[in-house]
Amino acid sequence: VDAPPACLGAGCLLATSHAGDAACVDAGAGAVAWRAELGAPADEGAAACGGLVAVALASGGLAVLDVETGAPAGSLRLNGSPRGPPTPAAQGGSGWWVGTREGAVVRVSAVAPAPALTATLDAGARLAGAPVSGGGFLAGCAPGSGAALLRVVEEEGGSGPVVAPWPRGSAAGRWSASPAAAASASPIVVGGLLVVVADTAGCAAAF
């Protein structure tokens, strides 16, 4: 297992590996419910959304499986290498955000008949980990440049997400701040604060 297991609900976890395997495990009994061959290393992890689970592949793609059976539900190319597991979208319907090592944040829908790439946003820098989503924003950490926050508005009517300015008047629609050391992993949101961990100095910064 090369990435943290993903919770699929009902006491089940999904483990993925560099060998390109995925296994759904009953956390209580330890029994394997199903296995799937992904065809590429899956070192970055996975995330469930509705009845589907998306697995980030080192080949630059995303494999989508049925949560109940492990049957393939679709796949797509991201035009970049995933950085961390997919992030379930906090609003705007079902789907995921996927950060790439090239500095893009890609929106993938989980709507039938097949997953589809619906938008690509510029994060402004390469990401140190997966983005986090919540309350209409995306946050990501860039190595050596602190934390960057994108405000994303999910427009209704199928027009897709856009980056919008904050009410404070930021024309770029994002702010950045520098912790005491370079961020090295995904940020987390705790009680309305964006917390960034920098392991090189053993410190954490909250914004």
Side-chain angles (χ1 to χ4, degrees), residues 14-15 27 53 55 67 70 86 94 104 108 113 119-120 126 128 145-146 167-168 170 189:
L14 182 72
V53 58
V55 184
V67 166
S94 60
V108 178
T120 300
R126 296 178 64 185
S145 59
R168 293 191 295 270
S170 171
V189 178

Side-chain angles (χ1 to χ4, degrees), residues 12-167:
C12 292
L13 301 173
L14 182 72
T16 60
S17 75
H18 182 75
D21 303 313
C24 176
V25 180
D26 185 312
V32 176
W34 53 258
R35 294 181 183 273
E37 296 291 333
L38 303 173
D43 302 332
E44 300 295 338
C49 181
L52 301 174
V53 58
V55 184
L57 304 177
S59 59
L62 200 69
V64 182
L65 309 173
D66 183 279
V67 166
E68 297 293 335
T69 65
S75 63
L76 49 82
R77 300 287 300 176
L78 297 175
N79 299 320
S81 302
R83 186 67 176 95
T87 300
Q91 64 184 76
S94 60
W96 305 269
W97 292 102
V98 185
T100 72
R101 297 178 188 275
E102 292 74 18
V105 183
V106 180
R107 176 71 156 87
V108 178
S109 73
V111 180
L117 192 155
T118 58
T120 300
L121 307 177
D122 182 5
R126 296 178 64 185
L127 297 179
V132 295
S133 174
F137 70 80
L138 283 174
C141 290
S145 59
L149 184 67
L150 303 175
R151 184 178 185 226
V152 177
V153 177
E154 302 257 13
E155 294 184 334
E156 296 182 359
S159 56
V162 296
V163 178
W166 288 101

